[in-house]
Amino acid sequence: MIGPLTNSSLSGCVSFRELLLHYQVSSLFKYKKRSRFVSGSRLSQALLKVYADIVHRVTYLLLLQINYLITMGGSMIDDDWELASSSSEVRTVVLVGRTGNGKSATGNSILRRKAFKSKTSSSGVTSTCEMQRTVLKDGQVVNVIDTPGLFDFSAGSDFIGKEIVKCMDLAKDGIHAVLVVFSVRTRFSKEEEAAIQSLQTFFGEKISDYMVVIFTGGDDLEDNDETLQDYLGRECPEPLKEILHLCKNRVVLFDNKTKDEKKQVEQVHQLLSLVDMVVAENGGQPYSDEFLAELKQGAMKLRNKREEVESLKGYTKQEILGLKEQIYRSYEDQLRRITEMVELKLRETTQRLEKKLAEEQAARLKAEQIAQAAQLKSNDEIRQLRESLERAQRETEELRRKSERCTIL
Ligand SMILES: Nc1nc2c(ncn2[C@@H]2O[C@H](COP(=O)(O)OP(=O)(O)OP(=O)(O)O)[C@@H](O)[C@H]2O)c(=O)[nH]1
């Protein structure tokens, strides 16, 4: 029998613990380097700081996640750990957004019961990812994962890491839709913009194919006799417009306070229609992070191999040991590839951010040059105007003096 894989059985291959440590140390250096790069602009520096912080956190937690999967490798192989299935009856949705935007309340509206704690609190009520499930009348199962404010900047990397690992683990069958929750009762913040951007930068553009935007506070709009369209007409800054455009205007308004049953059913129905649209547009494939998919595939292969070995009777102890070694070696290869993927993704992300900042800096420089040239031109024009004015004054004075002299004569 082959025992569960442990980290010690992976000696000789790249250690994720080392990679984690290396990343923690090197990210400080990288951050310093990037800061110098944009030393011309305070705005870019502030943005970069936000980006760098998020990329650092997300990278760290991805490494943490992989480390966790490696540590859990054996037991997960023993468990019922399958590749993402695309069952049409199950929908798994994840609620993300800033603390207090109404994620838990929206989750409760979807489930039509008070499953998640929801109340006003400045420090956040939801402390950990949690999944609740409901079965609709037509038999469709909806899994709702509520998350704490993962991209609130007060949260620490360790906490975020653990929570994302938990969230991915809860969403065993993949994520059918990411419900990005905003509130009409609070202004769209820079922090929200940066969080969505980094979500895309890191997890790839395709994450936006899974996004549905929910605005909570439908009752507030109703009190002001406004529709969502009215609200977006007056309160839609450019980055929010971009998000709505990216997710093809999949947006729905929720009133989590309503007692009107018809309204409750309608808004959930509207949301689930959008989720169905997402599922159809993605060919029924739920979002599943490529690293996780790769790991899961590796685990499946290993399990198959193990079953193969176990089913083969008549092998000598020596032969079984040889086969075991072969399996470990393929696992090590698998890990090495994933390490390379993480590093590649990190490099790509950093390069993309640096390119974006370089472009911003170039555009700013160009704008400054244009402004400077315009300033010079207008200075020149003003000088010329002043000169001609002075000339005209002198000529008028001359004329006046001449006419005075004529009058005297
Ligand atoms: N008026 C109104 N209040 C809402 C609505 N949705 C949520 N709220 C209120 O907003 C507050 C925060 O809601 P939560 O559901 O706890 O928000 P959250 O995003 O889950 O916050 P955390 O769990 O702390 O991360 C609560 O007092 C809710 O009652 C809504 O549609 N209308």
Side-chain angles (χ1 to χ4, degrees):
M1 287 280 287
I2 296 170
L5 291 169
T6 61
N7 269 358
S8 60
S9 70
L10 304 170
S11 57
C13 79
V14 180
S15 151
F16 269 88
R17 284 184 208 290
E18 275 171 36
L19 190 62
L20 270 171
L21 195 69
H22 161 80
Y23 179 70
Q24 277 173 304
V25 175
S26 65
S27 62
L28 287 172
F29 169 70
K30 280 179 193 154
Y31 177 67
K32 257 186 148 173
K33 227 169 95 184
R34 285 199 298 267
S35 293
R36 248 198 333 262
F37 170 76
V38 286
S39 58
S41 141
R42 248 188 271 148
L43 180 72
S44 295
Q45 256 180 341
L47 256 178
L48 180 68
K49 205 168 166 209
V50 171
Y51 278 140
D53 189 38
I54 293 172
V55 170
H56 179 193
R57 285 177 190 197
V58 178
T59 308
Y60 176 72
L61 62 90
L62 263 175
L63 292 172
L64 207 73
Q65 176 181 339
I66 290 164
N67 189 39
Y68 168 87
L69 287 169
I70 293 163
T71 316
M72 295 294 288
S75 54
M76 285 212 172
I77 294 163
D78 287 340
D79 288 341
D80 196 15
W81 200 44
E82 301 289 346
L83 269 174
S85 77
S86 55
S87 160
S88 58
E89 280 89 46
V90 181
R91 297 275 185 266
T92 300
V93 295
V94 180
L95 292 152
V96 297
R98 195 172 53 179
T99 295
N101 274 2
K103 298 179 293 294
S104 308
T106 305
N108 292 339
S109 296
I110 300 170
L111 298 161
R112 307 217 44 215
R113 64 189 147 90
K114 282 200 171 142
F116 303 118
K117 247 191 255 161
S118 162
K119 59 180 175 191
T120 316
S121 159
S122 56
S123 57
V125 179
T126 309
S127 56
T128 184
C129 289
E130 196 186 323
M131 187 167 90
Q132 293 285 347
R133 144 181 308 212
T134 188
V135 183
L136 303 179
K137 277 190 189 136
D138 61 2
Q140 185 174 76
V141 176
V142 182
N143 293 322
V144 181
I145 300 178
D146 189 16
T147 64
L150 292 178
F151 291 101
D152 293 359
F153 289 91
S154 49
S157 328
D158 273 7
F159 168 76
I160 299 174
K162 278 192 204 118
E163 284 310 311
I164 296 227
V165 169
K166 193 171 170 193
C167 178
M168 291 303 231
D169 198 35
L170 287 170
K172 276 193 172 62
D173 296 327
I175 295 164
H176 295 90
V178 177
L179 311 181
V180 185
V181 181
F182 297 122
S183 169
V184 300
R185 301 180 311 140
T186 50
R187 277 182 176 267
F188 181 81
S189 66
K190 267 257 166 254
E191 191 178 324
E192 277 171 323
E193 181 195 341
I196 304 279
Q197 275 182 357
S198 53
L199 206 81
Q200 287 169 327
T201 311
F202 211 89
F203 291 102
E205 297 287 310
K206 81 176 166 137
I207 192 79
S208 50
D209 295 344
Y210 291 84
M211 279 180 354
V212 174
V213 170
I214 297 181
F215 276 95
T216 65
D219 47 329
D220 271 36
L221 288 188
E222 210 172 276
D223 288 348
N224 297 332
D225 284 330
E226 270 192 315
T227 63
L228 182 61
Q229 267 58 42
D230 295 334
Y231 169 79
L232 291 175
R234 72 171 161 85
E235 277 287 340
C236 197
E238 217 36 62
L240 180 56
K241 265 190 206 147
E242 219 171 285
I243 292 167
L244 294 177
H245 174 72
L246 273 173
C247 67
K248 297 187 184 154
N249 259 334
R250 290 185 293 263
V251 55
V252 58
L253 180 67
F254 260 63
D255 172 358
N256 293 315
K257 292 283 181 191
T258 188
K259 298 272 180 282
D260 179 348
E261 205 166 312
K262 192 166 160 245
K263 195 172 171 190
Q264 287 172 346
V265 172
E266 241 165 47
Q267 58 191 19
V268 174
H269 180 76
Q270 221 180 327
L271 171 69
L272 293 177
S273 304
L274 290 177
V275 172
D276 281 347
M277 199 188 283
V278 166
V279 171
E281 283 183 13
N282 290 309
Q285 277 301 309
Y287 180 82
S288 170
D289 188 77
E290 59 188 287
F291 300 133
L292 273 190
E294 179 108 350
L295 270 177
K296 285 180 184 180
Q297 244 160 5
M300 286 274 283
K301 271 192 218 147
L302 284 172
R303 183 164 62 180
N304 292 345
K305 261 204 178 146
R306 191 185 66 178
E307 279 168 6
E308 217 177 281
V309 172
E310 279 171 3
S311 66
L312 289 171
K313 301 258 159 24
Y315 272 77
T316 64
K317 219 174 169 184
Q318 199 59 35
E319 282 168 332
I320 299 243
L321 269 176
L323 282 168
K324 255 182 169 182
E325 207 163 271
Q326 204 183 316
I327 290 171
Y328 289 153
R329 222 174 296 129
S330 77
Y331 195 81
E332 285 174 13
D333 285 348
Q334 183 82 12
L335 285 178
R336 202 164 296 122
R337 263 189 300 132
I338 292 162
T339 314
E340 281 162 12
M341 274 168 65
V342 172
E343 289 192 328
L344 184 73
K345 198 147 190 169
L346 175 63
R347 261 200 308 279
E348 278 173 6
T349 308
T350 314
Q351 277 167 5
R352 235 178 296 162
L353 288 176
E354 286 187 344
K355 188 166 166 256
K356 200 169 169 208
L357 279 166
E359 282 166 4
E360 275 174 17
Q361 203 182 30
R364 207 185 42 256
L365 261 172
K366 201 171 165 199
E368 275 170 15
Q369 278 166 358
I370 291 171
Q372 239 173 21
Q375 180 76 48
L376 282 174
K377 198 172 165 223
S378 80
N379 284 352
D380 206 38
E381 279 169 359
I382 290 169
R383 188 180 47 77
Q384 281 175 12
L385 266 173
R386 195 181 300 125
E387 279 171 8
S388 48
L389 191 70
E390 282 168 3
R391 210 177 309 121
Q393 271 174 342
R394 272 198 307 275
E395 282 167 9
T396 320
E397 186 65 20
E398 191 69 21
L399 275 172
R400 194 180 55 79
R401 261 193 245 121
K402 266 185 193 161
S403 79
E404 273 176 9
R405 247 181 275 140
C406 284
T407 319
I408 292 166
L409 284 172

Short mmCIF file of all heavy atoms in Angstrom, two decimals, residues 198-246:
data_model
loop_
_atom_site.label_atom_id
_atom_site.label_comp_id
_atom_site.label_asym_id
_atom_site.label_seq_id
_atom_site.Cartn_x
_atom_site.Cartn_y
_atom_site.Cartn_z
N SER A 198 -7.18 44.28 -9.51
CA SER A 198 -6.18 43.27 -9.17
C SER A 198 -6.76 41.87 -9.29
O SER A 198 -6.06 40.94 -9.65
CB SER A 198 -5.63 43.49 -7.77
OG SER A 198 -6.70 43.57 -6.89
N LEU A 199 -8.06 41.75 -9.06
CA LEU A 199 -8.73 40.46 -9.24
C LEU A 199 -8.55 40.02 -10.69
O LEU A 199 -8.21 38.88 -10.98
CB LEU A 199 -10.23 40.67 -8.96
CG LEU A 199 -11.02 39.48 -8.49
CD1 LEU A 199 -10.81 39.25 -7.01
CD2 LEU A 199 -12.50 39.68 -8.76
N GLN A 200 -8.72 40.99 -11.61
CA GLN A 200 -8.58 40.68 -13.04
C GLN A 200 -7.13 40.46 -13.42
O GLN A 200 -6.80 39.53 -14.14
CB GLN A 200 -9.11 41.83 -13.88
CG GLN A 200 -10.59 41.91 -13.87
CD GLN A 200 -11.04 43.21 -14.49
OE1 GLN A 200 -10.36 44.23 -14.39
NE2 GLN A 200 -12.16 43.17 -15.15
N THR A 201 -6.27 41.36 -12.88
CA THR A 201 -4.86 41.26 -13.25
C THR A 201 -4.31 39.91 -12.84
O THR A 201 -3.59 39.27 -13.58
CB THR A 201 -4.04 42.37 -12.57
OG1 THR A 201 -4.71 43.59 -12.79
CG2 THR A 201 -2.65 42.46 -13.11
N PHE A 202 -4.66 39.49 -11.64
CA PHE A 202 -4.06 38.26 -11.16
C PHE A 202 -4.75 37.01 -11.66
O PHE A 202 -4.11 36.08 -12.12
CB PHE A 202 -3.97 38.25 -9.64
CG PHE A 202 -2.79 37.46 -9.22
CD1 PHE A 202 -1.56 38.06 -9.07
CD2 PHE A 202 -2.88 36.09 -9.06
CE1 PHE A 202 -0.44 37.31 -8.76
CE2 PHE A 202 -1.77 35.33 -8.74
CZ PHE A 202 -0.55 35.95 -8.58
N PHE A 203 -6.07 36.98 -11.58
CA PHE A 203 -6.77 35.75 -11.97
C PHE A 203 -7.07 35.71 -13.46
O PHE A 203 -7.69 34.79 -13.95
CB PHE A 203 -8.04 35.58 -11.15
CG PHE A 203 -7.74 35.28 -9.71
CD1 PHE A 203 -7.83 36.25 -8.75
CD2 PHE A 203 -7.31 34.02 -9.33
CE1 PHE A 203 -7.52 35.98 -7.43
CE2 PHE A 203 -7.00 33.74 -8.02
CZ PHE A 203 -7.10 34.72 -7.07
N GLY A 204 -6.65 36.74 -14.17
CA GLY A 204 -6.85 36.75 -15.61
C GLY A 204 -8.13 37.46 -15.97
O GLY A 204 -9.08 37.52 -15.19
N GLU A 205 -8.12 37.96 -17.21
CA GLU A 205 -9.27 38.73 -17.70
C GLU A 205 -10.55 37.91 -17.62
O GLU A 205 -11.64 38.43 -17.46
CB GLU A 205 -9.05 39.14 -19.15
CG GLU A 205 -7.85 40.06 -19.36
CD GLU A 205 -8.08 41.47 -18.86
OE1 GLU A 205 -9.11 42.01 -19.22
OE2 GLU A 205 -7.24 41.98 -18.10
N LYS A 206 -10.38 36.56 -17.72
CA LYS A 206 -11.59 35.74 -17.83
C LYS A 206 -12.44 35.77 -16.57
O LYS A 206 -13.61 35.39 -16.63
CB LYS A 206 -11.24 34.32 -18.28
CG LYS A 206 -10.75 33.40 -17.22
CD LYS A 206 -10.54 32.02 -17.80
CE LYS A 206 -9.72 31.26 -16.78
NZ LYS A 206 -9.99 30.01 -16.46
N ILE A 207 -11.91 36.26 -15.47
CA ILE A 207 -12.73 36.33 -14.26
C ILE A 207 -13.94 37.24 -14.50
O ILE A 207 -15.02 37.02 -13.96
CB ILE A 207 -11.90 36.76 -13.01
CG1 ILE A 207 -12.67 36.55 -11.70
CG2 ILE A 207 -11.43 38.19 -13.06
CD1 ILE A 207 -12.70 35.17 -11.20
N SER A 208 -13.74 38.25 -15.38
CA SER A 208 -14.87 39.15 -15.64
C SER A 208 -16.00 38.46 -16.39
O SER A 208 -17.15 38.91 -16.34
CB SER A 208 -14.42 40.42 -16.36
OG SER A 208 -13.66 40.08 -17.46
N ASP A 209 -15.69 37.34 -17.06
CA ASP A 209 -16.76 36.57 -17.72
C ASP A 209 -17.70 35.94 -16.70
O ASP A 209 -18.76 35.44 -17.05
CB ASP A 209 -16.16 35.43 -18.57
CG ASP A 209 -15.34 35.96 -19.73
OD1 ASP A 209 -15.49 37.15 -20.05
OD2 ASP A 209 -14.55 35.19 -20.30
N TYR A 210 -17.26 35.93 -15.45
CA TYR A 210 -18.06 35.28 -14.40
C TYR A 210 -18.70 36.29 -13.45
O TYR A 210 -19.36 35.92 -12.50
CB TYR A 210 -17.18 34.30 -13.60
CG TYR A 210 -16.78 33.10 -14.43
CD1 TYR A 210 -15.69 33.15 -15.30
CD2 TYR A 210 -17.52 31.93 -14.39
CE1 TYR A 210 -15.34 32.07 -16.08
CE2 TYR A 210 -17.19 30.84 -15.18
CZ TYR A 210 -16.09 30.92 -16.02
OH TYR A 210 -15.77 29.85 -16.80
N MET A 211 -18.45 37.57 -13.71
CA MET A 211 -18.91 38.58 -12.75
C MET A 211 -20.34 39.05 -13.01
O MET A 211 -20.72 39.29 -14.15
CB MET A 211 -17.97 39.79 -12.79
CG MET A 211 -16.73 39.55 -11.99
SD MET A 211 -15.48 40.85 -11.90
CE MET A 211 -15.92 42.10 -12.95
N VAL A 212 -21.08 39.17 -11.93
CA VAL A 212 -22.40 39.80 -11.98
C VAL A 212 -22.36 40.87 -10.89
O VAL A 212 -21.91 40.61 -9.78
CB VAL A 212 -23.53 38.78 -11.67
CG1 VAL A 212 -24.88 39.48 -11.58
CG2 VAL A 212 -23.59 37.69 -12.72
N VAL A 213 -22.78 42.08 -11.24
CA VAL A 213 -22.74 43.16 -10.25
C VAL A 213 -24.11 43.27 -9.56
O VAL A 213 -25.15 43.25 -10.22
CB VAL A 213 -22.37 44.50 -10.93
CG1 VAL A 213 -22.55 45.67 -9.98
CG2 VAL A 213 -20.93 44.45 -11.44
N ILE A 214 -24.06 43.35 -8.23
CA ILE A 214 -25.31 43.54 -7.47
C ILE A 214 -25.20 44.86 -6.73
O ILE A 214 -24.19 45.13 -6.05
CB ILE A 214 -25.52 42.41 -6.44
CG1 ILE A 214 -25.65 41.06 -7.15
CG2 ILE A 214 -26.75 42.67 -5.57
CD1 ILE A 214 -25.88 39.88 -6.22
N PHE A 215 -26.21 45.69 -6.86
CA PHE A 215 -26.28 46.90 -6.04
C PHE A 215 -27.32 46.65 -4.95
O PHE A 215 -28.46 46.27 -5.26
CB PHE A 215 -26.71 48.11 -6.88
CG PHE A 215 -25.57 48.74 -7.60
CD1 PHE A 215 -25.28 48.40 -8.91
CD2 PHE A 215 -24.75 49.67 -6.95
CE1 PHE A 215 -24.20 48.98 -9.57
CE2 PHE A 215 -23.67 50.24 -7.61
CZ PHE A 215 -23.40 49.90 -8.91
N THR A 216 -26.93 46.81 -3.70
CA THR A 216 -27.90 46.68 -2.61
C THR A 216 -28.43 48.08 -2.28
O THR A 216 -27.86 49.08 -2.72
CB THR A 216 -27.28 46.05 -1.35
OG1 THR A 216 -26.28 46.95 -0.85
CG2 THR A 216 -26.65 44.71 -1.63
N GLY A 217 -29.51 48.12 -1.53
CA GLY A 217 -30.08 49.41 -1.14
C GLY A 217 -31.18 49.85 -2.08
O GLY A 217 -31.43 51.06 -2.22
N GLY A 218 -31.83 48.87 -2.72
CA GLY A 218 -32.93 49.18 -3.64
C GLY A 218 -34.00 50.01 -2.95
O GLY A 218 -34.64 50.87 -3.58
N ASP A 219 -34.21 49.77 -1.64
CA ASP A 219 -35.23 50.52 -0.88
C ASP A 219 -34.89 52.01 -0.82
O ASP A 219 -35.77 52.87 -0.91
CB ASP A 219 -35.38 49.93 0.53
CG ASP A 219 -34.05 49.69 1.22
OD1 ASP A 219 -33.06 49.41 0.52
OD2 ASP A 219 -33.99 49.80 2.46
N ASP A 220 -33.58 52.32 -0.68
CA ASP A 220 -33.16 53.72 -0.62
C ASP A 220 -33.50 54.44 -1.92
O ASP A 220 -33.98 55.57 -1.91
CB ASP A 220 -31.63 53.82 -0.40
CG ASP A 220 -31.29 53.83 1.07
OD1 ASP A 220 -31.99 53.11 1.82
OD2 ASP A 220 -30.33 54.54 1.45
N LEU A 221 -33.23 53.74 -3.05
CA LEU A 221 -33.54 54.34 -4.35
C LEU A 221 -35.04 54.55 -4.49
O LEU A 221 -35.48 55.60 -4.96
CB LEU A 221 -33.02 53.46 -5.49
CG LEU A 221 -31.52 53.40 -5.72
CD1 LEU A 221 -31.20 52.65 -7.00
CD2 LEU A 221 -30.91 54.81 -5.80
N GLU A 222 -35.78 53.54 -4.03
CA GLU A 222 -37.24 53.62 -4.14
C GLU A 222 -37.77 54.81 -3.33
O GLU A 222 -38.65 55.53 -3.79
CB GLU A 222 -37.85 52.33 -3.62
CG GLU A 222 -39.16 51.98 -4.30
CD GLU A 222 -39.62 50.59 -3.89
OE1 GLU A 222 -39.16 49.62 -4.50
OE2 GLU A 222 -40.42 50.51 -2.94
N ASP A 223 -37.18 55.02 -2.15
CA ASP A 223 -37.59 56.16 -1.32
C ASP A 223 -37.41 57.48 -2.07
O ASP A 223 -38.12 58.45 -1.84
CB ASP A 223 -36.78 56.21 -0.02
CG ASP A 223 -37.21 55.10 0.93
OD1 ASP A 223 -38.25 54.47 0.65
OD2 ASP A 223 -36.49 54.84 1.91
N ASN A 224 -36.38 57.53 -2.92
CA ASN A 224 -36.11 58.76 -3.69
C ASN A 224 -36.74 58.73 -5.08
O ASN A 224 -36.34 59.52 -5.94
CB ASN A 224 -34.59 58.96 -3.86
CG ASN A 224 -33.91 59.16 -2.54
OD1 ASN A 224 -34.51 59.65 -1.59
ND2 ASN A 224 -32.66 58.75 -2.46
N ASP A 225 -37.63 57.76 -5.28
CA ASP A 225 -38.28 57.60 -6.59
C ASP A 225 -37.27 57.47 -7.72
O ASP A 225 -37.43 58.05 -8.80
CB ASP A 225 -39.20 58.80 -6.90
CG ASP A 225 -40.47 58.70 -6.11
OD1 ASP A 225 -40.89 57.55 -5.82
OD2 ASP A 225 -41.02 59.76 -5.74
N GLU A 226 -36.22 56.71 -7.46
CA GLU A 226 -35.19 56.54 -8.49
C GLU A 226 -35.11 55.08 -8.91
O GLU A 226 -35.35 54.17 -8.11
CB GLU A 226 -33.83 56.95 -7.93
CG GLU A 226 -33.50 58.41 -8.14
CD GLU A 226 -32.03 58.67 -7.84
OE1 GLU A 226 -31.54 58.16 -6.82
OE2 GLU A 226 -31.39 59.36 -8.62
N THR A 227 -34.71 54.86 -10.17
CA THR A 227 -34.45 53.50 -10.64
C THR A 227 -32.93 53.30 -10.62
O THR A 227 -32.17 54.27 -10.44
CB THR A 227 -34.94 53.30 -12.08
OG1 THR A 227 -34.18 54.20 -12.91
CG2 THR A 227 -36.42 53.56 -12.21
N LEU A 228 -32.50 52.06 -10.86
CA LEU A 228 -31.06 51.80 -10.91
C LEU A 228 -30.43 52.61 -12.06
O LEU A 228 -29.33 53.14 -11.92
CB LEU A 228 -30.79 50.30 -11.08
CG LEU A 228 -29.34 49.87 -11.09
CD1 LEU A 228 -28.63 50.21 -9.78
CD2 LEU A 228 -29.20 48.37 -11.35
N GLN A 229 -31.16 52.68 -13.16
CA GLN A 229 -30.65 53.43 -14.32
C GLN A 229 -30.45 54.91 -13.95
O GLN A 229 -29.43 55.50 -14.30
CB GLN A 229 -31.61 53.31 -15.51
CG GLN A 229 -31.27 52.17 -16.46
CD GLN A 229 -31.24 50.83 -15.75
OE1 GLN A 229 -32.11 50.55 -14.92
NE2 GLN A 229 -30.24 50.02 -16.04
N ASP A 230 -31.43 55.47 -13.19
CA ASP A 230 -31.28 56.88 -12.76
C ASP A 230 -30.01 57.02 -11.93
O ASP A 230 -29.22 57.94 -12.11
CB ASP A 230 -32.47 57.31 -11.87
CG ASP A 230 -33.78 57.32 -12.64
OD1 ASP A 230 -33.72 57.48 -13.86
OD2 ASP A 230 -34.84 57.16 -11.99
N TYR A 231 -29.85 56.05 -10.99
CA TYR A 231 -28.70 56.12 -10.08
C TYR A 231 -27.40 56.04 -10.87
O TYR A 231 -26.49 56.85 -10.68
CB TYR A 231 -28.79 54.96 -9.07
CG TYR A 231 -27.54 54.78 -8.26
CD1 TYR A 231 -27.25 55.60 -7.17
CD2 TYR A 231 -26.61 53.78 -8.60
CE1 TYR A 231 -26.07 55.43 -6.45
CE2 TYR A 231 -25.45 53.61 -7.88
CZ TYR A 231 -25.19 54.43 -6.80
OH TYR A 231 -24.03 54.27 -6.09
N LEU A 232 -27.34 55.07 -11.82
CA LEU A 232 -26.10 54.91 -12.60
C LEU A 232 -25.87 56.11 -13.51
O LEU A 232 -24.73 56.46 -13.80
CB LEU A 232 -26.14 53.61 -13.42
CG LEU A 232 -26.07 52.33 -12.58
CD1 LEU A 232 -26.24 51.10 -13.44
CD2 LEU A 232 -24.75 52.25 -11.82
N GLY A 233 -26.97 56.75 -13.89
CA GLY A 233 -26.86 57.95 -14.72
C GLY A 233 -26.17 59.09 -13.97
O GLY A 233 -25.42 59.86 -14.55
N ARG A 234 -26.39 59.14 -12.65
CA ARG A 234 -25.79 60.26 -11.92
C ARG A 234 -24.57 59.85 -11.07
O ARG A 234 -23.75 60.65 -10.72
CB ARG A 234 -26.84 60.96 -11.02
CG ARG A 234 -27.28 60.18 -9.82
CD ARG A 234 -28.14 60.97 -8.86
NE ARG A 234 -28.88 60.07 -8.00
CZ ARG A 234 -28.38 59.55 -6.88
NH1 ARG A 234 -27.17 59.85 -6.50
NH2 ARG A 234 -29.12 58.72 -6.15
N GLU A 235 -24.43 58.55 -10.76
CA GLU A 235 -23.36 58.11 -9.84
C GLU A 235 -22.52 57.01 -10.45
O GLU A 235 -22.34 55.97 -9.83
CB GLU A 235 -24.00 57.57 -8.55
CG GLU A 235 -24.38 58.58 -7.51
CD GLU A 235 -23.20 59.19 -6.78
OE1 GLU A 235 -22.11 58.59 -6.79
OE2 GLU A 235 -23.37 60.27 -6.21
N CYS A 236 -22.05 57.19 -11.66
CA CYS A 236 -21.28 56.10 -12.27
C CYS A 236 -19.92 56.60 -12.71
O CYS A 236 -19.73 56.97 -13.87
CB CYS A 236 -22.06 55.47 -13.42
SG CYS A 236 -21.43 53.87 -13.89
N PRO A 237 -18.94 56.60 -11.79
CA PRO A 237 -17.61 57.04 -12.20
C PRO A 237 -17.03 56.10 -13.26
O PRO A 237 -17.47 54.95 -13.39
CB PRO A 237 -16.79 56.97 -10.90
CG PRO A 237 -17.57 56.11 -9.98
CD PRO A 237 -18.99 56.16 -10.40
N GLU A 238 -16.06 56.61 -13.99
CA GLU A 238 -15.48 55.88 -15.12
C GLU A 238 -15.09 54.43 -14.78
O GLU A 238 -15.45 53.51 -15.53
CB GLU A 238 -14.26 56.68 -15.62
CG GLU A 238 -14.04 56.71 -17.12
CD GLU A 238 -15.28 56.73 -17.98
OE1 GLU A 238 -16.09 57.69 -17.92
OE2 GLU A 238 -15.43 55.77 -18.75
N PRO A 239 -14.37 54.18 -13.64
CA PRO A 239 -13.98 52.79 -13.36
C PRO A 239 -15.17 51.85 -13.18
O PRO A 239 -15.12 50.70 -13.58
CB PRO A 239 -13.21 52.89 -12.03
CG PRO A 239 -12.90 54.32 -11.84
CD PRO A 239 -13.88 55.12 -12.63
N LEU A 240 -16.25 52.38 -12.60
CA LEU A 240 -17.45 51.55 -12.42
C LEU A 240 -18.08 51.26 -13.78
O LEU A 240 -18.51 50.13 -14.05
CB LEU A 240 -18.45 52.25 -11.49
CG LEU A 240 -19.75 51.51 -11.19
CD1 LEU A 240 -19.48 50.12 -10.62
CD2 LEU A 240 -20.61 52.30 -10.21
N LYS A 241 -18.09 52.28 -14.65
CA LYS A 241 -18.60 52.09 -16.02
C LYS A 241 -17.84 50.96 -16.69
O LYS A 241 -18.42 50.10 -17.36
CB LYS A 241 -18.40 53.37 -16.83
CG LYS A 241 -19.61 54.26 -16.84
CD LYS A 241 -19.43 55.38 -17.84
CE LYS A 241 -20.28 56.56 -17.41
NZ LYS A 241 -19.74 57.84 -17.71
N GLU A 242 -16.52 50.98 -16.48
CA GLU A 242 -15.66 49.98 -17.10
C GLU A 242 -16.00 48.57 -16.59
O GLU A 242 -16.07 47.62 -17.37
CB GLU A 242 -14.20 50.31 -16.75
CG GLU A 242 -13.25 50.07 -17.91
CD GLU A 242 -11.89 50.63 -17.57
OE1 GLU A 242 -11.73 51.87 -17.60
OE2 GLU A 242 -11.03 49.82 -17.23
N ILE A 243 -16.24 48.48 -15.28
CA ILE A 243 -16.58 47.17 -14.69
C ILE A 243 -17.89 46.67 -15.30
O ILE A 243 -18.01 45.51 -15.68
CB ILE A 243 -16.69 47.28 -13.15
CG1 ILE A 243 -15.32 47.56 -12.55
CG2 ILE A 243 -17.28 46.01 -12.55
CD1 ILE A 243 -15.34 47.98 -11.10
N LEU A 244 -18.87 47.57 -15.39
CA LEU A 244 -20.17 47.18 -15.94
C LEU A 244 -20.03 46.76 -17.40
O LEU A 244 -20.66 45.80 -17.84
CB LEU A 244 -21.18 48.33 -15.81
CG LEU A 244 -21.55 48.69 -14.37
CD1 LEU A 244 -22.49 49.88 -14.34
CD2 LEU A 244 -22.20 47.51 -13.66
N HIS A 245 -19.17 47.48 -18.12
CA HIS A 245 -18.94 47.15 -19.52
C HIS A 245 -18.28 45.77 -19.63
O HIS A 245 -18.68 44.94 -20.45
CB HIS A 245 -18.06 48.24 -20.15
CG HIS A 245 -17.65 47.93 -21.55
ND1 HIS A 245 -18.53 47.97 -22.60
CD2 HIS A 245 -16.45 47.53 -22.06
CE1 HIS A 245 -17.89 47.63 -23.69
NE2 HIS A 245 -16.63 47.37 -23.40
N LEU A 246 -17.28 45.53 -18.76
CA LEU A 246 -16.56 44.26 -18.78
C LEU A 246 -17.48 43.08 -18.52
O LEU A 246 -17.33 42.01 -19.11
CB LEU A 246 -15.46 44.27 -17.71
CG LEU A 246 -14.13 44.86 -18.13
CD1 LEU A 246 -13.21 44.96 -16.94
CD2 LEU A 246 -13.48 43.99 -19.20
#
